[in-house]
């Protein structure tokens, strides 16, 4: 199963057409969007894929989750804020929670990032199987913001699919940084990960991908998280 994380503005019909056109030649299951600049909505786009977004009109935030049409079962979308949302969806017989995140940049006080991490932690606490992706606005080695991301991952018992060897953002000065990540829980194994330019959309962020599989052995008597995921079995 292929998860993509992409910082991209998708707040218009034209932009959505570009999204579907670029994804058409790729194999994918879920795309976790950040900085969408799109208002909250749940729509079916070309190809029968389902797009859920959380955000405000004309605001420089917003997150979104695009789910491939092959996953046609029950979905429950929950908008936490214009920076965090999740969708509970059944993937290959597993009840999963896909979470999209967009952290504030360094110009915001630390308390804003702390609030987003608390929202993310709350989402993870009530899910058995978590997949988190987005623009976290920091490299892992940075002493304050990077440490906060590492601490969140440890607290939520998540592991990074991509933590080194790639870059995801090119600044105006040409500096290459890895600030977009995909994180997964212990019930999932990441087989391969990296970045791709095939899903570009004219953005200064590269799309990150993770090819994941669910672990065969699972201790159902002692789940990591809550017993149910918004009514999904």
């Amino acid at each position: 199963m292929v998860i993509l994380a992409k910082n991209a503005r998708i707040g218009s019909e034209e932009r959505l057409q570009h999204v579907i056109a670029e994804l058409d030649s790729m194999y994918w299951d879920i795309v976790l969007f950040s900085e969408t600049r799109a208002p909250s909505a749940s729509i079916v786009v070309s190809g029968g894929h389902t797009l859920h977004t959380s955000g405000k009109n004309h605001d420089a935030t917003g997150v979104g989750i695009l789910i491939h049409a092959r996953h046609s079962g029950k979905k429950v979308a929950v908008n936490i804020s214009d920076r965090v949302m999740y969708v509970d969806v059944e993937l290959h017989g597993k009840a999963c929670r896909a979470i999209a995140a967009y952290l504030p940049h360094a110009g915001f006080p630390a308390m804003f990032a702390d609030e987003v991490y608390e929202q993310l932690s709350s989402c993870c606490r009530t899910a058995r199987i978590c997949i988190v992706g987005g623009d976290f606005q920091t490299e892992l080695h940075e002493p304050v913001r990077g440490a906060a991301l590492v601490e969140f991952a440890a607290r939520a018992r998540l592991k990074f699919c991509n933590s080194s060897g790639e870059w995801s953002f090119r600044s105006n000065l040409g500096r290459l940084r890895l600030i977009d990540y995909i994180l997964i829980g212990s019930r999932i194994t990441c087989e391969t990960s990296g970045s791709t330019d095939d899903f570009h959309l004219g953005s200064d962020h590269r799309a990150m991908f993770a090819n994941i599989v669910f672990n065969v052995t699972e201790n159902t008597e002692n789940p990591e998280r809550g017993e149910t995921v918004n009514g999904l079995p």
Side-chain angles (χ1 to χ4, degrees), residues 4-231:
L4 293 166
K6 175 66 174 174
N7 178 306
R9 302 174 187 180
I10 58 171
S12 69
E13 181 63 31
E14 181 182 3
R15 295 293 292 175
L16 287 178
Q17 290 176 0
H18 289 166
V19 168
I20 300 306
E22 291 195 13
L23 288 174
D24 190 54
S25 62
M26 303 173 63
Y27 185 90
W28 60 278
D29 292 275
I30 293 179
V31 184
L32 302 169
F33 287 105
S34 54
E35 199 180 359
T36 61
R37 304 197 179 192
S40 297
S42 291
I43 61 174
V44 177
V45 299
S46 177
H49 315 306
T50 306
L51 175 65
H52 304 276
T53 53
S54 180
K56 304 171 183 176
N57 283 311
H58 311 298
D59 192 21
T61 56
V63 286
I65 300 176
L66 181 65
I67 300 174
H68 197 282
R70 75 174 64 93
H71 304 295
S72 58
K74 179 181 178 182
K75 306 176 186 69
V76 180
V78 177
N79 298 348
I80 304 299
S81 68
D82 57 350
R83 293 186 179 275
V84 175
M85 75 169 299
Y86 67 79
V87 174
D88 289 332
V89 58
E90 186 174 303
L91 301 173
H92 302 300
K94 303 286 187 180
C96 302
R97 176 164 291 175
I99 306 171
Y102 179 46
L103 269 289
H105 59 69
F108 286 83
M111 61 179 290
F112 288 91
D114 292 343
E115 180 180 0
V116 174
Y117 280 125
E118 181 52 44
Q119 292 171 356
L120 289 171
S121 296
S122 179
C123 292
C124 293
R125 278 194 294 269
T126 54
R128 294 172 67 102
I129 300 177
C130 269
I131 302 167
V132 183
D135 179 357
F136 288 83
Q137 303 274 13
T138 185
E139 296 177 281
L140 294 182
H141 62 78
E142 294 180 9
V144 177
R145 297 173 65 84
L149 173 54
V150 171
E151 180 183 351
F152 154 70
R155 188 169 63 248
R157 287 180 284 183
L158 299 173
K159 52 194 174 185
F160 290 89
C161 292
N162 58 307
S163 58
S164 62
E166 295 280 349
W167 60 272
S168 66
F169 173 71
R170 183 191 300 271
S171 73
N172 292 334
L173 298 177
R175 182 186 174 194
L176 305 180
R177 304 174 67 208
L178 176 58
I179 62 175
D180 301 81
Y181 302 94
I182 298 172
L183 300 90
I184 55 176
S186 62
R187 287 181 164 86
I188 309 173
T189 296
C190 181
E191 294 189 324
T192 57
S193 65
S195 61
T196 176
D197 293 322
D198 293 336
F199 187 35
H200 189 265
L201 298 175
S203 170
D204 51 8
H205 287 252
R206 301 168 88 188
M208 309 307 295
F209 73 87
N211 187 0
I212 65 173
V213 295
F214 296 110
N215 299 338
V216 175
T217 302
E218 179 177 323
N219 182 1
T220 57
E221 296 181 355
N222 184 30
E224 295 175 355
R225 314 281 186 242
E227 293 294 333
T228 61
V229 181
N230 276 4

